[in-house]
Amino acid sequence: MLKRNAVRNEKERMAPQPTGSMSKTVEERDHVVIRFAGDSGDGMQLTGDRFTNATAILGNDLATLPDFPAEIRAPAGTVHGVSAFQIQFASTDITTPGDHADVLVAMNPAALRADLDKVARGGTIIINEDSFTQRNLEKAGYASDPTTDGTLDGYQIYPVPMTSITVRAVESLGVGKKEAERSKNMFALGLVSWMYGRPVDVTLRWLEKKFGGKPEIYEANVASFNAGFNFGETTELFAHQIHVPAAPVIEGTYRNVAGSQALAWGLIAASVRSGVPLFYASYPITPASDLLHELSKHKNFGVVTIQAEDEIAAANMALGAAFTGHLGVTGTSGPGIDLKAETVGLAVITELPMIVVDVMRAGPSTGMPTKNEQGDLLHAMFGRHGESPIPIVAPSSPADCFSVAMEAARVAIRYRTPIILLSDSFLQNSSEPWLLPDVDALPTIDPMFARANGSEFLPYARDERLARPWAIPGTPGLEHRIGGLEREDRTGDISYEADNHERMTHIRREKVEGIAADIPPLEVDDPTGDAELLVLGWGSTAGTVRAAVQRVRGSGERVATAHLRWLNPMPANTGEIVTRYRQVLIPELNSGQLTMLIRARFLADAKTFSKVQGLPIWADELEDAIVRMLHG
Amino acid sequence: MAEENGDVGGIATLTKKDFTSDQEPRWCPGCGDYAILAAVQGFMPELGIEPHNTVFISGIGCSGRFTYYMDTYGFHGIHGRAPAIATGVATANPDLHVWVVTGDGDALSIGGNHLIHALRRNVNIKILMFNNQIYGLTKGQYSPTSEVGKVTKSTPFGSVDHPFNPVALALGAEATFVARTVDNDRKHLTDVLRQATEHPGSAFVEIYQNCNVFNDGAFDLIRDKQQGVHNQIRLVDGEPIVFDEGTRCVRVGENGRLEIATVAESDPSSIVTHDIHGRPSLAFALAHLSHGPTEPTCIGVFHEEDRPTYGEAVRSQLERAVERLGPGDLKALLHGGDTWTVG
C-alpha cells in the first residue's frame, strides 16, 4: 500500500501552546481520522454525530462514515453488534472519511476486535478498560487479553476506566446505575473533545436541547462529558492536545449536513421554487427511511408524507399525486426498487413527472442493509420490461444531494418523465460542511400546467423537448384518460397500431436522450493536458477519486479525472472524452456496471476498479490501482 | 345537493352525454359491465359534480376499461394498484371526486393489500368492485371469489381455494361504507351508488356482475327476476329484514346467531331490524348469512359510519403545521441548527 500512514509520516510540529487554563502542549496536524466504536447500544453514532458538529463549527473540513450493523441490538458485547462512526477532519480540503483511523475509541473488546484492522499501524487506541472483563473478552472471541498479550504491540494504547469514572461522576445526581453507565459515551466524547480542542459549548447546548425536559438525564450527560474532558486535561495519561487548524474555505455561512437531510431539503426547495406541492410516499426501509423522517417534519411547507402499506403502494401514490399536479416522490432502497419497477414503467408510459429516490445498499435480496454498494445502476437503466427509458442522476457527496434533488425535479417536471435519483447508503448517512446557497438565487422551475385554450386538447401532443402537457384533474375542459396501454401519438387514445408503437417507443427514447442538451457537459480535470489515463467516477466514489488522483499527481503522475452526475442520458461530450484517453479506469462499488455502459455505448476500452465489500473504496486502494494501470 | 335547486353554476345542464367519452366500449356483447357503465353515466349528472372534478381510476381486468368510457379525468393503472393511485390523487387534492373501478381479481388478489389499507385510512374514494367470480380478461381462470370446486382452465379438477367474502373483508378492513348491489337492477344499483357518493370517505360497493362468456349465470339466483324475488334479501335501514315476498326473514337464532326462517314461524321480536349505523358486527353477520350467491343473499347498504376522511386529515395536519411552525421558510430551514460563518 502506498502512503497508508500519511498522517503519521507528516512532520509533527510540537509547540508548547497553552490553551486557556490548560498547561499541556499542543501538537498541530493537518488532518486526523477518528473512529468511535462500541456496542450498538453504546450510542456511538450519537457520539460521532456530536463530535462532527463541534468539528464543523470549528471550521475544519470533514467527511464522515457511519458504519453500523443491521440489527438494532445484536447480542451485547459481540462483534456482530459493533457500531462505529468514523470521521476525518482537516485543515485542508478533504474528500473522504479516511482510509484508516489514527485514533480508535473502543468501548468494549468486541469493538477492538471488529475495528483493529481499520486503525493505521502505530495509531492510537483508547479503550474503556472497565469493559475488558473475562466475560466480555470471551464474547468478543478473544482467548486472551489483547491489551496484554502483544496483539496491540506497535499501537499507542490508552486504557481509561470510562464506566467507573462516569458512574462516580454522576452518582450524586440520583440517576440509576444503568442510566449512569449509559452516559459513558458522553465521557468518551468529552475526552476526545479535549484531545482535539473541540468547542464544549456546542455539545452542551445540544444536550440541553435534547434532555432539557429530563433534568437528571441532562445533568448526568453533562457531568459525564465534563468528566471526560477534565480527565484529558488533568491526568498524566495524555501528554498533549492535538490541534487541527480550520480549513481555508470560501466565505459564507456553513452548516454540517448529512445526505438524507440535503436530499430532503433539495426536494422541498424544488417544491418552493416551482410552486408544485411536494408529495412523498414511502415504505420504511433502511437506509431510505431517514428521508421519510426528515420530510415528515416539514409539513408547514405543504409537504404531504405518507407511510404507505408497501413499496408498490408508495410508488403508485406518488404517481397518483403526480397526475394530480404534485411533485410525486417515492424513496426506497435495496429490494424496494425491485418492487417499484412496474410502477416506474407506468410512469414512463403515462409520462408524468415523478422522482424515485433509490438509496442503494448492498444486495442481492436483503443483502447487507446497512452497507453501501452502487449495485443498482443497471437496474435503474434497464430494470423494467419493454423499452422503458428513464433519466438517472446521482449525487456525488452528502451536500450535493441538495442540488441533485432540485435538478431531478427540474428535469422530471420539464420533461414530464419519471426520474431515478441514485443515492447510496454512504451518501445518506455521511455528512460534510455545506456552504449554504443563497435561497433567492436558487433556480425556479415553471410547471407549465396545461390550460384549456379553446382548441381540441391533445394529451400526447408535444413541445420542442417532446414533453407532453401536464393537465391536472380539476382543470375545466382538459378531461382526458391516461394509462398503461400504448397511446396513440398526440390524441393519447389507446392504440395497438404497429407504426404508432414504434413511433412512441422512439419518442420516449428521444425525449430522454434529449435531456443531454439541457445538462452541463462532462468536465475533465486534466491539469497538464497530456494525461493518458482518465479516472471516471460516479456517485459517492467522487471523494475517493479526487483524493486518490491528488495523491498520484503528487508523485508526478499525469492523470485526468471526470465525474458523471448524469448516468442517463450522459452528457453529450461523454463519448468524445472517454475515447480521448488511452486508458479509462472506472472505480465502482459494483462489478463494473458503468464500465459496461461506457464500453457498450462508446467502444471505449474502460476498465473497472471494483469493490463490493459494503465499504467505500479507500483512496490508497484506488491510488494503487491507478499506479498499477499506469505502469503495470 | 345541487339537484335540489336544479341550478348550480350550470351544473344542472349536465347530461349523461357530458360523462360519456368518444371511445366505443369494447366489452363482450351481453357483459354486465355495459349496464353498470350506463347506470353510472346516467346518474352522474344528478350528483351535481362537474366532469373536470371527477377522476375514475382503474386497474387491470375487464373492469379496467371503464375509465376510458367516462369523459372525466381518468387513470388506467396497473394490476391491483388503483386504490393506491387513487389514494395519491384523493390525498393530493381532497376536493376531487375519485372513483375506483376494479374487479374481484384486481381488488382481492393482486391488489388486496391496497384495498384494505385504502379502506382503513378512509380515503375519500368510491370503490366499485365488479365481482364476476372469474378472470375474464385472461380468459377464464378461477378468481379469489370463485366457489370451492370451481372448474376452470387453471383448475380442471376444481378449485380447492376457499373464496373471499368481499363484504366481510371490507368490514374487517374497517371500511366506513360497505354495500352490495347487482348489475342488472338499475334502480338498486343507482340507489346504492348515490348513497356511496354521499358518504364522506371510502365506500366499498360490491357489484354482482355477470360474465356471460366465462362464468355465465353465476348470480342467477340473485339476478334473475323470477329467482331474485325469492333470494334477494334487501337491506333497508330501520326496517325489519324480511324477503321472499314477505314470507321469510332474518332472525336472531340460538346463541345470537343470525338465521333465515319463515316469518310465520318467527317471534316478531326475533326478526332483525337493519341498522346501517350500528355496530359492524351486525353487518358482518349479515355478510355471512350466505356462503355465496347460491343461496339467499343480502344486497343493499350493510354498514356506514362517520370517520374523518384521509384527505381532510392530511390537509388539516398541513394547516396545523403552518399554525405551529409558521409558513415554510426555505432560508430558515437551511440555516436552522448550528451554522458558522467564514469571512
Side-chain angles (χ1 to χ4, degrees), chain A residues 53 56-57 251-255 298-301 303 307 309-310 312-313 316-317 320 324 326 472 474-475 478-484 487 493-494 496, chain B residues 23 52-53 65 67-68 70-76 81 84-85 88-89 92 113-114 117 121 317-318 325-326 328-329 333-334 336 338-342:
Chain A
N53 253 34
I57 287 188
E251 287 185 3
T253 300
Y254 287 77
R255 69 170 297 149
H298 304 295
K299 291 190 184 286
N300 59 327
F301 284 87
V303 180
Q307 183 175 315
E309 59 270 22
D310 60 35
I312 299 172
N316 282 280
M317 287 174 184
T324 316
H326 279 48
I472 64 173
T475 314
L478 301 186
E479 296 85 352
H480 68 288
R481 276 66 56 194
I482 58 170
R487 320 314 287 186
D493 292 341
I494 302 168
Y496 292 169
Chain B
Q23 301 293 300
H52 71 262
N53 284 323
R65 292 295 186 111
T67 298
Y68 293 116
M70 298 296 300
D71 196 10
T72 63
Y73 282 91
F75 199 146
H76 179 209
R81 318 303 170 200
I85 294 173
V89 172
N113 202 29
H114 311 306
H117 286 274
R121 289 192 181 103
Q317 199 174 51
L318 297 184
L325 306 168
D329 176 343
L333 171 68
L334 302 189
D338 294 323
T339 61
W340 66 97
T341 300
V342 177

Coordinates of all heavy atoms in Angstrom, one line a residue, chain A residues 53 56-57 251-255 298-301 303 307 309-310 312-313 316-317 320 324 326 472 474-475 478-484 487 493-494 496, chain B residues 23 52-53 65 67-68 70-76 81 84-85 88-89 92 113-114 117 121 317-318 325-326 328-329 333-334 336 338-342:
Chain A
N53 N -20.4 17.7 14.7 CA -20.9 19.1 14.7 C -20.0 20.1 15.3 O -19.8 21.2 14.8 CB -22.2 19.1 15.5 CG -23.4 19.2 14.5 OD1 -23.3 18.7 13.4 ND2 -24.4 19.9 14.9
A56 N -17.3 20.7 12.8 CA -17.7 21.5 11.7 C -17.7 23.0 12.1 O -17.2 23.9 11.4 CB -19.1 21.1 11.3
I57 N -18.2 23.2 13.3 CA -18.2 24.6 13.8 C -16.9 25.2 14.0 O -16.6 26.4 13.8 CB -19.1 24.7 15.1 CG1 -20.6 24.5 14.6 CG2 -18.9 26.0 15.9 CD1 -21.6 24.7 15.7
E251 N -15.7 32.2 1.5 CA -16.5 32.9 2.5 C -18.0 32.6 2.4 O -18.5 32.3 1.3 CB -16.3 34.4 2.3 CG -14.9 34.9 2.7 CD -14.8 36.4 2.6 OE1 -15.8 37.1 2.3 OE2 -13.7 36.9 2.9
G252 N -18.6 32.6 3.5 CA -20.1 32.3 3.5 C -20.5 31.6 4.8 O -19.7 31.4 5.7
T253 N -21.8 31.3 4.9 CA -22.3 30.6 6.0 C -22.4 29.1 5.7 O -22.8 28.7 4.7 CB -23.7 31.2 6.4 OG1 -23.5 32.5 6.7 CG2 -24.3 30.5 7.6
Y254 N -21.9 28.3 6.7 CA -21.8 26.9 6.5 C -22.6 26.2 7.6 O -22.9 26.7 8.6 CB -20.4 26.4 6.7 CG -19.4 26.7 5.6 CD1 -18.9 28.0 5.4 CD2 -19.1 25.8 4.7 CE1 -18.1 28.3 4.4 CE2 -18.2 26.1 3.6 CZ -17.7 27.4 3.5 OH -16.9 27.6 2.5
R255 N -23.0 25.0 7.3 CA -23.5 24.1 8.3 C -23.1 22.7 7.9 O -22.6 22.4 6.8 CB -25.0 24.1 8.4 CG -25.7 23.5 7.1 CD -27.2 23.4 7.4 NE -27.5 22.4 8.5 CZ -28.5 22.5 9.3 NH1 -29.4 23.5 9.1 NH2 -28.7 21.7 10.2
H298 N -41.5 18.6 8.0 CA -41.6 19.9 7.4 C -43.0 20.1 6.6 O -43.1 20.6 5.5 CB -40.5 20.1 6.4 CG -39.2 20.0 7.1 ND1 -38.7 20.9 8.1 CD2 -38.2 19.1 7.0 CE1 -37.5 20.5 8.5 NE2 -37.2 19.4 7.9
K299 N -44.0 19.7 7.3 CA -45.4 19.8 6.7 C -45.8 21.2 6.6 O -46.7 21.5 5.8 CB -46.4 19.0 7.6 CG -46.1 17.5 7.5 CD -47.3 16.7 8.1 CE -47.0 15.2 8.1 NZ -47.1 14.6 6.8
N300 N -45.1 22.1 7.3 CA -45.5 23.6 7.1 C -45.1 24.1 5.7 O -45.5 25.2 5.3 CB -44.9 24.4 8.2 CG -43.4 24.4 8.3 OD1 -42.8 23.3 8.0 ND2 -42.8 25.4 8.7
F301 N -44.3 23.3 5.0 CA -44.0 23.6 3.6 C -45.1 23.0 2.7 O -44.9 23.0 1.4 CB -42.7 23.1 3.2 CG -41.5 23.9 3.7 CD1 -41.0 23.6 5.0 CD2 -41.0 24.9 3.0 CE1 -39.9 24.4 5.5 CE2 -39.9 25.7 3.4 CZ -39.4 25.4 4.7
V303 N -45.8 19.9 2.6 CA -45.2 18.6 2.2 C -46.2 17.5 2.7 O -46.4 17.3 4.0 CB -43.8 18.3 2.8 CG1 -43.3 16.9 2.4 CG2 -42.9 19.4 2.4
Q307 N -46.7 7.2 4.9 CA -46.1 5.9 5.1 C -47.0 4.8 4.5 O -48.0 4.5 5.1 CB -45.8 5.6 6.6 CG -45.0 4.3 6.8 CD -44.6 4.1 8.2 OE1 -44.1 5.1 8.9 NE2 -44.9 3.0 8.7
E309 N -48.6 1.3 2.6 CA -48.7 -0.1 3.1 C -47.6 -1.0 2.5 O -47.2 -2.0 3.1 CB -50.0 -0.7 2.9 CG -50.4 -0.7 1.4 CD -51.2 0.5 1.0 OE1 -51.0 1.6 1.6 OE2 -51.9 0.5 -0.1
D310 N -47.0 -0.6 1.4 CA -45.9 -1.3 0.9 C -45.2 -0.4 -0.2 O -45.6 0.7 -0.5 CB -46.3 -2.7 0.3 CG -47.3 -2.6 -0.8 OD1 -47.3 -1.6 -1.6 OD2 -48.2 -3.5 -0.9
I312 N -44.9 -0.8 -3.4 CA -45.7 -0.7 -4.6 C -46.7 0.5 -4.4 O -46.9 1.3 -5.2 CB -46.3 -2.0 -5.0 CG1 -45.3 -3.1 -5.2 CG2 -47.2 -1.8 -6.2 CD1 -45.9 -4.5 -5.4
A313 N -47.4 0.4 -3.2 CA -48.3 1.4 -2.9 C -47.7 2.8 -2.9 O -48.2 3.8 -3.5 CB -49.0 1.2 -1.6
N316 N -47.2 4.1 -6.4 CA -48.4 4.4 -7.0 C -49.1 5.6 -6.4 O -49.7 6.4 -7.1 CB -49.4 3.2 -7.0 CG -49.0 2.2 -8.1 OD1 -49.3 2.3 -9.2 ND2 -48.3 1.2 -7.7
M317 N -48.9 5.8 -5.1 CA -49.5 7.0 -4.5 C -48.7 8.2 -5.1 O -49.3 9.3 -5.4 CB -49.3 7.0 -3.0 CG -50.2 6.0 -2.3 SD -49.8 5.9 -0.5 CE -50.9 4.6 0.0
G320 N -50.0 8.8 -8.5 CA -51.3 9.4 -8.5 C -51.2 10.9 -8.1 O -51.9 11.7 -8.7
T324 N -52.0 14.4 -10.3 CA -52.9 15.5 -9.7 C -52.2 16.8 -9.5 O -52.6 17.7 -8.9 CB -53.4 15.0 -8.3 OG1 -53.8 13.6 -8.5 CG2 -54.6 15.7 -7.8
H326 N -48.9 17.3 -8.2 CA -48.0 17.4 -7.1 C -46.6 16.9 -7.6 O -46.5 16.2 -8.7 CB -48.4 16.6 -5.9 CG -49.4 17.3 -5.0 ND1 -50.5 17.9 -5.5 CD2 -49.4 17.5 -3.7 CE1 -51.2 18.4 -4.5 NE2 -50.5 18.2 -3.4
I472 N -53.9 18.7 -15.1 CA -54.3 18.1 -13.9 C -55.8 18.1 -13.6 O -56.5 19.0 -14.0 CB -53.5 18.7 -12.7 CG1 -53.8 20.1 -12.5 CG2 -52.0 18.5 -13.0 CD1 -53.2 20.7 -11.3
G474 N -59.3 18.7 -12.2 CA -59.8 20.0 -11.6 C -59.7 21.1 -12.7 O -60.3 22.1 -12.5
T475 N -59.0 20.8 -13.8 CA -58.9 21.9 -14.8 C -60.0 21.7 -15.8 O -60.1 20.6 -16.5 CB -57.5 21.7 -15.6 OG1 -56.5 21.5 -14.7 CG2 -57.3 22.9 -16.5
L478 N -60.1 20.0 -19.9 CA -59.0 19.1 -20.3 C -59.2 17.7 -19.8 O -58.2 16.9 -19.7 CB -57.7 19.7 -19.7 CG -57.3 21.1 -20.1 CD1 -55.9 21.5 -19.6 CD2 -57.3 21.2 -21.6
E479 N -60.4 17.2 -19.6 CA -60.6 15.9 -19.1 C -60.0 14.9 -20.2 O -60.2 15.1 -21.4 CB -62.2 15.6 -19.0 CG -62.9 16.4 -18.0 CD -63.3 17.8 -18.5 OE1 -62.9 18.2 -19.6 OE2 -64.1 18.5 -17.8
H480 N -59.3 14.0 -19.7 CA -58.6 13.0 -20.6 C -58.3 11.8 -19.7 O -58.3 11.8 -18.5 CB -57.4 13.6 -21.2 CG -56.2 13.9 -20.2 ND1 -56.3 14.9 -19.3 CD2 -55.1 13.2 -20.0 CE1 -55.2 14.9 -18.6 NE2 -54.4 13.9 -19.0
R481 N -57.9 10.7 -20.5 CA -57.6 9.4 -19.8 C -56.2 9.0 -20.2 O -55.8 9.1 -21.4 CB -58.6 8.3 -20.3 CG -59.9 8.3 -19.5 CD -60.8 9.4 -19.7 NE -61.2 9.7 -21.1 CZ -61.8 10.9 -21.5 NH1 -62.1 11.8 -20.6 NH2 -62.0 11.0 -22.7
I482 N -55.5 8.6 -19.2 CA -54.1 8.1 -19.4 C -54.1 6.7 -18.8 O -55.0 6.2 -18.1 CB -53.0 8.9 -18.8 CG1 -53.2 9.1 -17.3 CG2 -53.0 10.3 -19.5 CD1 -52.1 9.7 -16.6
G483 N -53.0 5.9 -19.1 CA -52.9 4.6 -18.6 C -51.7 3.8 -19.1 O -50.9 4.4 -19.9
G484 N -51.7 2.6 -18.7 CA -50.5 1.8 -19.1 C -50.6 1.2 -20.5 O -49.6 0.6 -21.0
R487 N -50.3 4.4 -26.1 CA -51.1 5.5 -26.5 C -50.9 5.9 -28.0 O -49.8 5.7 -28.5 CB -50.8 6.8 -25.7 CG -50.5 6.6 -24.3 CD -51.5 5.7 -23.6 NE -52.8 6.3 -23.3 CZ -53.7 5.7 -22.6 NH1 -53.5 4.5 -22.1 NH2 -54.9 6.3 -22.4
D493 N -55.2 8.3 -27.3 CA -56.2 7.2 -27.2 C -55.4 5.9 -27.2 O -54.2 5.9 -27.7 CB -57.1 7.3 -28.5 CG -58.0 8.5 -28.5 OD1 -58.2 9.0 -27.4 OD2 -58.5 8.9 -29.6
I494 N -56.0 4.8 -26.8 CA -55.4 3.5 -26.8 C -55.1 3.2 -28.3 O -55.9 3.4 -29.2 CB -56.3 2.5 -26.2 CG1 -56.7 2.8 -24.8 CG2 -55.6 1.1 -26.3 CD1 -57.8 2.0 -24.3
Y496 N -53.1 0.0 -30.7 CA -52.2 -1.2 -30.9 C -51.6 -1.1 -32.2 O -51.1 -2.1 -32.7 CB -53.1 -2.5 -30.7 CG -53.6 -2.7 -29.3 CD1 -54.5 -3.7 -29.1 CD2 -53.1 -2.1 -28.2 CE1 -55.0 -4.0 -27.9 CE2 -53.6 -2.3 -27.0 CZ -54.6 -3.3 -26.8 OH -55.1 -3.6 -25.5
Chain B
Q23 N -64.9 7.1 -26.8 CA -64.4 5.8 -27.0 C -65.5 4.8 -27.0 O -66.4 4.8 -26.1 CB -63.4 5.4 -25.9 CG -62.2 6.4 -25.9 CD -61.3 6.3 -27.1 OE1 -60.8 5.2 -27.4 NE2 -61.2 7.4 -27.8
H52 N -64.8 17.7 -14.8 CA -63.4 18.0 -14.6 C -63.0 17.9 -13.2 O -61.8 17.9 -12.9 CB -63.1 19.4 -15.2 CG -63.7 20.5 -14.4 ND1 -64.8 21.2 -14.7 CD2 -63.2 21.2 -13.3 CE1 -65.1 22.1 -13.8 NE2 -64.1 22.1 -13.0
N53 N -63.9 17.7 -12.3 CA -63.6 17.5 -10.9 C -63.7 16.0 -10.5 O -63.7 15.7 -9.3 CB -64.4 18.4 -9.9 CG -63.9 19.8 -9.9 OD1 -62.7 20.0 -10.0 ND2 -64.9 20.7 -9.9
R65 N -61.2 -1.2 -18.2 CA -61.5 -0.3 -19.3 C -62.6 0.7 -19.0 O -62.7 1.7 -19.8 CB -62.0 -1.2 -20.5 CG -61.0 -2.2 -21.0 CD -59.9 -1.4 -21.7 NE -59.0 -2.2 -22.4 CZ -58.9 -2.3 -23.8 NH1 -59.6 -1.6 -24.5 NH2 -58.0 -3.1 -24.3
T67 N -62.7 3.2 -17.2 CA -62.1 4.6 -17.2 C -62.2 5.3 -18.5 O -62.4 6.5 -18.6 CB -60.6 4.4 -16.8 OG1 -60.6 3.9 -15.5 CG2 -59.9 5.7 -16.7
Y68 N -61.9 4.5 -19.6 CA -61.8 5.1 -20.9 C -63.2 5.6 -21.4 O -63.3 6.4 -22.4 CB -61.2 4.1 -21.9 CG -59.8 3.8 -21.6 CD1 -59.4 2.6 -21.3 CD2 -58.8 4.9 -21.7 CE1 -58.1 2.3 -21.0 CE2 -57.5 4.6 -21.4 CZ -57.1 3.3 -21.0 OH -55.8 3.1 -20.7
M70 N -65.6 7.0 -19.6 CA -66.1 8.2 -18.9 C -65.4 9.4 -19.3 O -64.2 9.5 -19.3 CB -65.9 8.0 -17.4 CG -66.5 6.8 -16.7 SD -68.3 6.9 -16.8 CE -68.7 8.4 -15.8
D71 N -66.1 10.5 -19.7 CA -65.5 11.7 -20.1 C -65.1 12.6 -18.9 O -65.6 13.7 -18.8 CB -66.3 12.5 -21.1 CG -65.5 13.5 -21.9 OD1 -64.3 13.5 -21.7 OD2 -66.1 14.3 -22.6
T72 N -64.3 12.0 -18.1 CA -63.8 12.7 -16.9 C -62.3 12.6 -16.9 O -61.8 12.1 -17.9 CB -64.4 12.0 -15.6 OG1 -63.8 10.7 -15.6 CG2 -65.9 12.0 -15.6
Y73 N -61.6 13.0 -15.9 CA -60.2 12.6 -15.8 C -60.2 11.1 -15.5 O -61.0 10.6 -14.8 CB -59.5 13.4 -14.7 CG -59.2 14.8 -15.2 CD1 -60.0 15.9 -15.0 CD2 -58.0 15.1 -15.9 CE1 -59.8 17.2 -15.5 CE2 -57.7 16.3 -16.4 CZ -58.6 17.4 -16.2 OH -58.3 18.6 -16.6
G74 N -59.2 10.4 -16.1 CA -59.1 9.0 -15.8 C -57.7 8.5 -15.8 O -56.8 9.0 -16.5
F75 N -57.5 7.5 -15.0 CA -56.1 6.9 -15.0 C -56.3 5.4 -14.9 O -56.8 4.8 -13.9 CB -55.4 7.4 -13.7 CG -53.9 7.2 -13.7 CD1 -53.1 8.1 -13.1 CD2 -53.3 6.1 -14.3 CE1 -51.7 8.0 -13.1 CE2 -51.9 5.9 -14.3 CZ -51.1 6.9 -13.7
H76 N -55.9 4.7 -16.0 CA -56.0 3.3 -16.1 C -54.6 2.8 -15.6 O -53.7 2.9 -16.4 CB -56.3 2.9 -17.5 CG -56.4 1.4 -17.8 ND1 -56.1 0.8 -19.0 CD2 -56.7 0.4 -17.0 CE1 -56.2 -0.5 -18.9 NE2 -56.6 -0.8 -17.7
R81 N -53.4 -1.9 -8.4 CA -52.9 -0.7 -7.7 C -53.8 0.5 -7.7 O -53.4 1.6 -7.2 CB -51.5 -0.3 -8.3 CG -50.6 -1.4 -8.6 CD -50.2 -2.3 -7.4 NE -49.5 -3.5 -7.8 CZ -49.4 -4.6 -7.1 NH1 -50.0 -4.7 -5.9 NH2 -48.8 -5.7 -7.5
A84 N -54.2 2.5 -4.6 CA -53.0 3.3 -4.2 C -52.9 4.5 -5.1 O -52.6 5.6 -4.5 CB -51.8 2.4 -4.3
I85 N -53.1 4.4 -6.4 CA -53.1 5.6 -7.2 C -54.1 6.6 -6.8 O -53.9 7.8 -6.6 CB -53.3 5.2 -8.7 CG1 -52.1 4.4 -9.2 CG2 -53.5 6.5 -9.6 CD1 -52.3 3.8 -10.6
G88 N -53.2 8.5 -3.8 CA -52.4 9.7 -4.2 C -53.2 10.8 -4.7 O -53.0 12.0 -4.3
V89 N -54.2 10.5 -5.6 CA -55.0 11.6 -6.2 C -55.9 12.2 -5.1 O -55.9 13.5 -5.0 CB -55.9 11.0 -7.3 CG1 -56.9 12.0 -7.8 CG2 -55.0 10.4 -8.4
A92 N -53.8 14.2 -2.6 CA -53.2 15.4 -3.2 C -54.2 16.5 -3.3 O -53.9 17.7 -3.2 CB -52.5 15.1 -4.5
N113 N -53.9 -5.9 -0.7 CA -53.2 -5.0 0.3 C -53.7 -3.6 0.1 O -54.0 -2.9 1.1 CB -51.7 -5.2 0.2 CG -51.0 -4.8 1.5 OD1 -51.6 -4.9 2.5 ND2 -49.8 -4.3 1.4
H114 N -53.7 -3.1 -1.1 CA -54.0 -1.7 -1.3 C -55.5 -1.4 -0.9 O -55.8 -0.4 -0.4 CB -53.8 -1.2 -2.7 CG -52.4 -1.6 -3.2 ND1 -51.3 -1.3 -2.5 CD2 -52.0 -2.4 -4.2 CE1 -50.2 -1.8 -3.1 NE2 -50.6 -2.4 -4.1
H117 N -56.0 -1.3 2.9 CA -55.4 -0.1 3.5 C -56.1 1.2 3.1 O -56.2 2.1 3.9 CB -53.9 0.0 3.2 CG -53.1 -1.0 4.0 ND1 -52.7 -0.8 5.3 CD2 -52.8 -2.3 3.7 CE1 -52.1 -1.9 5.8 NE2 -52.1 -2.8 4.8
R121 N -57.8 3.6 6.0 CA -57.5 5.0 6.0 C -58.7 5.9 5.8 O -58.6 7.1 6.0 CB -56.4 5.3 5.0 CG -55.0 4.8 5.2 CD -54.0 5.4 4.3 NE -52.7 4.8 4.5 CZ -52.1 3.9 3.8 NH1 -52.7 3.4 2.7 NH2 -50.9 3.4 4.1
Q317 N -53.7 18.5 9.0 CA -52.4 18.4 9.6 C -51.4 19.4 9.0 O -50.6 20.1 9.7 CB -51.9 17.0 9.4 CG -50.8 16.7 10.4 CD -50.3 15.2 10.4 OE1 -50.0 14.7 9.3 NE2 -50.3 14.6 11.5
L318 N -51.5 19.6 7.7 CA -50.7 20.6 7.0 C -51.0 22.0 7.5 O -50.1 22.8 7.8 CB -50.9 20.6 5.5 CG -50.5 19.3 4.7 CD1 -50.6 19.5 3.2 CD2 -49.0 18.8 5.1
L325 N -45.7 26.1 13.2 CA -44.3 26.4 12.8 C -44.2 27.6 11.9 O -43.1 28.1 11.6 CB -43.7 25.2 12.0 CG -43.8 23.8 12.7 CD1 -43.4 22.7 11.8 CD2 -42.8 23.8 13.9
G326 N -45.3 28.2 11.5 CA -45.3 29.3 10.5 C -45.2 28.7 9.1 O -44.8 27.6 9.0
G328 N -43.7 27.7 5.6 CA -42.4 27.2 5.3 C -41.5 28.3 4.8 O -41.8 29.1 4.0
D329 N -40.3 28.4 5.4 CA -39.3 29.4 5.0 C -38.0 28.7 4.7 O -37.3 28.1 5.6 CB -39.1 30.4 6.2 CG -38.1 31.4 6.0 OD1 -37.2 31.2 5.0 OD2 -38.0 32.4 6.7
L333 N -35.1 27.1 7.1 CA -34.9 25.7 7.1 C -33.4 25.4 7.0 O -32.8 24.6 7.8 CB -35.7 25.0 6.0 CG -35.4 23.5 5.8 CD1 -35.9 22.7 7.0 CD2 -36.0 23.0 4.5
L334 N -32.8 26.0 6.0 CA -31.4 25.6 5.7 C -30.4 26.2 6.8 O -29.4 25.6 7.1 CB -30.9 26.2 4.3 CG -31.7 25.7 3.1 CD1 -31.1 26.2 1.8 CD2 -31.9 24.2 3.1
G336 N -31.3 26.6 9.9 CA -31.6 26.2 11.3 C -30.5 25.3 11.8 O -29.7 24.7 11.0
D338 N -26.9 24.4 13.9 CA -25.6 25.0 14.1 C -25.0 25.4 12.8 O -24.8 24.6 11.9 CB -24.7 24.1 14.8 CG -25.1 23.8 16.2 OD1 -25.6 24.7 16.9 OD2 -25.0 22.6 16.7
T339 N -24.8 26.7 12.6 CA -24.1 27.2 11.4 C -22.9 28.0 11.8 O -22.7 28.4 13.0 CB -25.0 28.1 10.6 OG1 -25.3 29.3 11.4 CG2 -26.3 27.4 10.1
W340 N -22.0 28.2 10.9 CA -20.8 29.1 11.2 C -20.5 29.9 9.9 O -20.8 29.5 8.8 CB -19.6 28.3 11.7 CG -19.0 27.4 10.7 CD1 -17.9 27.6 9.9 CD2 -19.5 26.1 10.4 NE1 -17.7 26.5 9.1 CE2 -18.6 25.5 9.4 CE3 -20.5 25.2 10.9 CZ2 -18.7 24.3 8.9 CZ3 -20.6 24.0 10.3 CH2 -19.7 23.5 9.4
T341 N -20.0 31.1 10.2 CA -19.7 31.9 9.0 C -18.2 32.2 8.9 O -17.5 32.5 9.9 CB -20.5 33.3 9.2 OG1 -21.9 32.9 9.3 CG2 -20.3 34.2 8.1
V342 N -17.8 32.1 7.7 CA -16.4 32.4 7.4 C -16.3 33.7 6.6 O -17.0 33.9 5.7 CB -15.8 31.2 6.5 CG1 -14.3 31.5 6.2 CG2 -15.9 29.9 7.3

